[in-house]
Amino acid sequence: MESVTLLIVSAEDIASTVQGDALLGRGGWNEADPVEEGRTWRHTSQPVHIWWFPERVLWADQLDERYAAASGAQVREVIFLSRHSAASGRPSLTLHVIGVPGESPVGESAEYGGIKGAVVPPNPRFAAWYRRMVQAAHDHAVTDEFDLTIETTHHGPSLSSPTMFIEIGSSESHWGRTDAAEAWADVISEGLGLDGGPGLGDWHALSDSERAQSKVMLGIGGGHYAPRHIDVLRRTNCWAGHQIASYALEMQRPEDESWDPQTGDLPEGQWEHAIRVCAESTRQSFPGGEVMAHLDRKSFKGWQRRAVIRLCEELDIPVGRTAAFE
């Protein structure tokens, strides 16, 4: 059974279809049998498939397994081509991995897809593709207008395969921008070796010794657009797994005035579960790598930061500043 990268386009999302059109326009695709009434294409030189899914995707769970069952291909990773929405409306190119850490009750369906408290394995290409996106944005002269960012882990759907979203934002006036779509098409083409190159961010291509020397950032704390974690990606060549925003790290300080954050019981709240599941999921996507935590230190009070570091020590996850990820 062929192992493939699955690119999913949502037919109801113009920012998704404009990216799909840009990629198909570069040639090298043969149309194949439809899956669930959605058209599909297979690349002629690389194990990459496109599925033009006929509906919205956030609540469409297990699309990787559904595609595999219908097509006979084994899905090794999923990349959603998507739009980004933000109240600010500021134009942006962004990408992120998915899941709903920190929400409760754990196990219930989440508002924007996925399962509360659960995360999807992060796609290992995340960090390398962010860096390549920055270059592509400059190549297509959109940097004066578009923010170039990542986002912390959020929303659905639920899948089993390593997954990420690549997005054009942040309002209707930007979603259909062909220049932004061409920038992403550059990233996809080079990132998956469709241009004849080796690809970018393929963890499976590393030797055991290369994996052992590779640093993988688990980002903890900060705002939704993770500026301090982005700084690590820009300054180093590290890999990246889940990035957990402060809003997913709800923590209650114990009422006992004698409580010591260094030695007392860990504080209650969803923060511990969020870090545990994100750490486990990141390790799942990066076997043999060194997962390290990067804290947005200013986003925590002192007692919160000490509690997070204690948990990381328990999980055998070193905590480092930017230089530690070089």
Side-chain angles (χ1 to χ4, degrees):
M1 181 182 294
E2 184 183 29
S3 179
V4 305
T5 296
L6 179 61
L7 304 174
I8 298 181
V9 173
S10 169
E12 296 187 3
D13 175 357
I14 187 174
S16 183
T17 59
V18 74
Q19 293 181 66
D21 287 338
L23 195 58
L24 288 172
R26 301 192 175 201
W29 300 95
N30 289 331
E31 189 159 4
D33 293 336
V35 171
E36 297 187 17
E37 301 183 358
R39 297 172 71 184
T40 70
W41 289 264
R42 301 184 179 192
H43 199 264
T44 55
S45 65
Q46 294 294 334
V48 180
H49 293 190
I50 296 175
W51 183 14
W52 213 274
F53 189 69
E55 302 172 5
R56 298 290 299 276
V57 297
L58 292 189
W59 298 272
D61 292 338
Q62 306 307 329
L63 288 177
D64 50 347
E65 296 177 8
R66 288 157 59 179
Y67 184 85
S71 68
Q74 179 180 356
V75 177
R76 62 174 280 192
E77 62 178 336
V78 177
I79 301 168
F80 287 92
L81 285 53
S82 181
R83 73 184 185 192
H84 171 63
S85 297
S88 69
R90 184 171 177 82
S92 64
L93 299 180
T94 182
L95 69 166
H96 65 91
V97 299
I98 62 173
V100 195
E103 288 201 17
S104 61
V106 171
E108 290 190 358
S109 296
E111 181 178 4
Y112 296 106
I115 304 298
K116 292 181 179 180
V119 296
V120 175
N123 192 309
R125 300 185 191 272
F126 181 21
W129 281 34
Y130 168 72
R131 289 186 282 264
R132 181 62 182 89
M133 177 264 281
V134 172
Q135 178 186 338
H138 281 88
D139 293 342
H140 289 270
V142 299
T143 54
D144 288 343
E145 185 178 2
F146 282 74
D147 286 341
L148 311 177
T149 187
I150 67 169
E151 297 170 78
T152 51
T153 298
H154 68 296
H155 73 55
S158 293
L159 298 95
S160 302
S161 305
T163 298
M164 67 179 174
F165 273 62
I166 61 175
E167 302 179 343
I168 300 172
S170 298
S171 68
E172 189 172 358
S173 62
H174 308 117
W175 292 332
R177 288 278 294 267
T178 56
D179 50 356
E182 291 294 341
W184 272 125
D186 284 358
V187 178
I188 298 168
S189 294
E190 184 175 343
L192 296 177
L194 307 184
D195 62 350
L200 297 170
D202 185 358
W203 185 259
H204 299 283
L206 300 185
S207 66
D208 288 347
S209 61
E210 288 172 327
R211 292 184 183 189
Q213 296 171 21
S214 297
K215 309 292 179 60
V216 182
M217 178 176 62
L218 173 68
I220 303 177
H224 183 74
Y225 295 99
R228 297 189 185 279
H229 306 318
I230 287 177
D231 192 54
V232 177
L233 297 184
R234 284 180 176 266
R235 292 171 178 266
T236 76
N237 286 317
C238 76
W239 302 71
H242 285 290
Q243 312 295 304
I244 316 169
S246 291
Y247 59 70
L249 296 169
E250 176 262 336
M251 185 186 302
Q252 292 103 35
R253 182 185 176 98
E255 295 181 359
D256 185 350
E257 293 184 0
S258 66
W259 177 74
D260 184 342
Q262 291 290 109
T263 59
D265 292 339
L266 289 174
E268 294 183 355
Q270 289 300 313
W271 71 279
E272 181 178 353
H273 184 269
I275 292 175
R276 286 184 182 276
V277 298
C278 287
E280 179 182 0
S281 179
T282 297
R283 280 176 162 153
Q284 177 184 343
S285 288
F286 294 93
E290 183 180 7
V291 175
M292 299 177 59
H294 180 260
L295 274 56
D296 184 331
R297 293 174 179 268
K298 292 185 178 180
S299 70
F300 294 105
K301 296 179 180 178
W303 65 270
Q304 294 173 320
R305 185 168 59 250
R306 289 192 289 273
V308 169
I309 292 172
R310 280 182 60 196
L311 178 60
C312 288
E313 290 173 347
E314 178 185 329
L315 297 174
D316 196 24
I317 296 176
V319 177
R321 297 180 184 267
T322 301
F325 292 87
E326 294 177 347

